[in-house]
Amino acid sequence: RALAARREVKEIISGVMASPVADRRNIVADLVRSSQDDEAFTTDEVMDTVMTLLLAGKLTTSEALPGIFAELSQRPAWARRIAQEDLDFQNIERDSAALRFVLEVMRLRNPAGAYRRVCDPPAYLDLGEHGRIPPGCPFAVLLQGTLKDMGAEFDPDRWTPEVVRSTSSLIFGGNQPHSCVGRNLALLELQLFARVLCREYDFKALDPQLLMTSNNPIAKSYKDGLRAVISRKSAV
């Protein structure tokens, strides 16, 4: 099934590459054009790049959506603020109520709280006064603690433009080369979700308790998958 899905995606991407849209930039088609500095991507390289972006963005988004929904359900004042924002994006990290709210939810329930590495033989990793990691030993760099130390209280307004520039990368695995490749896609999707939800729907999360479950023994999940009541707002 995975190979069949990959072939189907390849056909779609090949079609986009062969038929650029005249009235707007086609990023996929641009990747297969040679530039002054580099050779063009092959079809397989373009497909792998697109697949990586889609999967990384989807995983981050799927982890964050329930938390955003539950927190907005319990904070109507923030929902009203976000409902006033339009659906056009000039800059994904432009200061807004939606951006602040999304980052605060992800700070407290981080989908990428660590990245894992292995100390390559024959070298060891010197941690100074804290010792050394021996060759071949796996280890993880934890980022969640730094985010939690920002405060236990849920406060989206902590995410001023200055804090976004200095700290938001920790939510997505740190700075390059460790940052999640789907970061921008996830931020766009999550802010758009929050704005559409608050502008167009009445909604309520039913019993939004976080519990440990057998399906996810590492982190808490919402009870019963976060049951909710949603209806489209009446036209004024």
Side-chain angles (χ1 to χ4, degrees), residues 193-207:
F193 167 77
R195 292 179 184 180
V196 171
L197 179 67
C198 295
R199 285 165 60 101
E200 301 183 11
Y201 295 90
D202 293 314
F203 57 94
K204 181 179 180 180
L206 304 176
D207 197 17

Side-chain angles (χ1 to χ4, degrees), residues 96-214:
S96 68
L99 176 64
R100 292 186 178 208
F101 199 92
V102 165
L103 291 176
E104 183 67 353
V105 170
M106 297 180 74
R107 177 184 77 85
L108 294 173
R109 301 198 67 227
N110 194 302
Y115 58 85
R116 295 165 179 80
R117 293 293 182 270
V118 174
C119 190
D120 290 336
Y124 61 84
L125 184 61
D126 191 347
L127 303 179
E129 62 180 280
H130 302 291
R132 300 190 300 184
I133 299 177
C137 181
F139 64 95
V141 178
L142 302 180
L143 307 173
Q144 184 69 24
T146 302
L147 295 169
K148 289 288 182 68
D149 288 344
M150 293 173 68
E153 180 183 357
F154 186 91
D155 181 16
D157 277 331
R158 75 174 75 249
W159 291 99
T160 63
E162 293 75 19
V163 174
V164 170
R165 285 192 294 270
S166 65
T167 310
S168 65
S169 62
L170 294 178
I171 292 175
F172 296 91
N175 292 315
Q176 296 292 353
H178 308 293
S179 182
C180 172
V181 295
R183 167 187 172 140
N184 288 343
L185 178 60
L187 275 179
L188 175 61
E189 290 177 332
L190 293 172
Q191 290 182 80
L192 188 59
F193 167 77
R195 292 179 184 180
V196 171
L197 179 67
C198 295
R199 285 165 60 101
E200 301 183 11
Y201 295 90
D202 293 314
F203 57 94
K204 181 179 180 180
L206 304 176
D207 197 17
Q209 295 185 54
L210 284 167
L211 305 171
M212 298 300 295
T213 67
S214 58

